[in-house]
């Protein structure tokens, strides 16, 4: 369903695709349950910002944001962001994550996800050479005044689509 909505937005609303991405993400039942909200998406998808408000929906026993909400609200962003940036010639999968809680999230939490042009160029060059790579990207969840609540390290698998299809066929 989400890929179909993405194709429709690319076809009929190419200049508004980043806004539709934000809208679809925030309306998605899968994402709504995390309590996170996508608050900003750059037109070229190079930057996405997320807010996880402290609310009765995600408070844990001691009144801070439940760690699962912090992680879940950040989990899909890099993968979907890269799919939008790289396009249909690549396969992108979340591979693993490591979460390090630094202090209780006793206020709203914010996270920024960014890819520079240099990172994308290097990633494409690496995939052209190696056919598949594991990209490691950090996510920092902070308060509005910059207090660090949590560090997440995301490992994202990215491959040339044709290579991936051939690799998958060999395994079967």
């Amino acid at each position: 369903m989400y890929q179909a909505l993405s194709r429709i937005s690319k076809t009929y609303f190419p200049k508004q695709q980043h806004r539709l991405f934000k809208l679809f993400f925030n309306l998605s039942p899968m994402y709504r349950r995390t309590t996170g909200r996508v608050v900003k998406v750059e037109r070229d998808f190079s930057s996405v910002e997320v807010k996880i408000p402290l609310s009765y929906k995600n408070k844990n026993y001691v009144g801070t944001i439940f760690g699962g909400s912090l992680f879940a609200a950040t989990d899909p962003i890099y993968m979907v962001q890269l799919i939008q940036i790289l396009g249909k010639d690549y396969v992108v999968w979340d591979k693993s994550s490591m979460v390090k809680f630094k202090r209780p999230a006793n206020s709203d939490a914010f996270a920024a996800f960014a890819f520079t042009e240099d990172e994308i160029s290097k990633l494409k060059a690496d995939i052209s050479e190696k056919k598949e790579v594991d990209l490691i990207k950090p996510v920092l969840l902070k308060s509005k005044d910059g207090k660090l609540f949590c560090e997440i390290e995301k490992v994202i698998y990215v491959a040339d689509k044709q290579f991936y299809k051939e690799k998958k066929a060999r395994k079967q």
Side-chain angles (χ1 to χ4, degrees), residues 134-145:
D134 287 340
L135 175 66
I136 299 170
K137 287 288 282 184
V139 181
L140 303 176
L141 286 126
K142 298 180 178 183
S143 67
K144 194 169 198 147
D145 61 356

Side-chain angles (χ1 to χ4, degrees), residues 25-42:
F25 235 91
N26 288 333
L27 290 177
S28 160
M30 162 212 54
Y31 196 67
R32 287 187 67 77
R33 289 184 193 110
T34 72
T35 70
R37 295 292 168 260
V38 175
V39 293
K40 185 178 179 188
V41 180
E42 288 297 323

Side-chain angles (χ1 to χ4, degrees), residues 143-160:
S143 67
K144 194 169 198 147
D145 61 356
K147 282 189 260 175
L148 182 63
F149 296 135
C150 178
E151 291 177 359
I152 300 172
E153 183 178 273
K154 299 285 297 173
V155 179
I156 304 149
Y157 172 81
V158 186
D160 173 84

Side-chain angles (χ1 to χ4, degrees), residues 110-134:
F110 299 86
F113 303 81
F115 286 99
T116 65
E117 287 183 30
D118 288 342
E119 280 180 296
I120 296 300
S121 295
K122 182 176 180 344
L123 179 60
K124 286 179 177 180
D126 288 349
I127 294 167
S128 179
E129 180 186 328
K130 301 173 189 169
K131 303 301 180 202
E132 62 183 352
V133 297
D134 287 340

Side-chain angles (χ1 to χ4, degrees), residues 54-116:
L54 176 62
S55 77
Y56 75 94
K57 294 178 183 178
N58 64 11
K59 277 187 185 177
N60 62 19
Y61 189 78
V62 293
T64 61
I65 299 176
F66 172 62
S69 288
L70 292 171
F71 174 71
T74 61
D75 182 47
I77 303 296
Y78 273 138
M79 183 185 85
V80 178
Q81 186 181 11
L82 259 182
I83 289 169
Q84 296 298 318
I85 292 170
L86 294 174
K88 62 182 174 105
D89 295 331
Y90 298 88
V91 171
V92 182
W93 288 104
D94 274 324
K95 191 168 184 180
S96 68
S97 300
M98 182 172 41
V99 182
K100 293 179 185 173
F101 297 104
K102 297 297 188 177
R103 70 168 37 101
N106 55 6
S107 64
D108 296 349
F110 299 86
F113 303 81
F115 286 99
T116 65

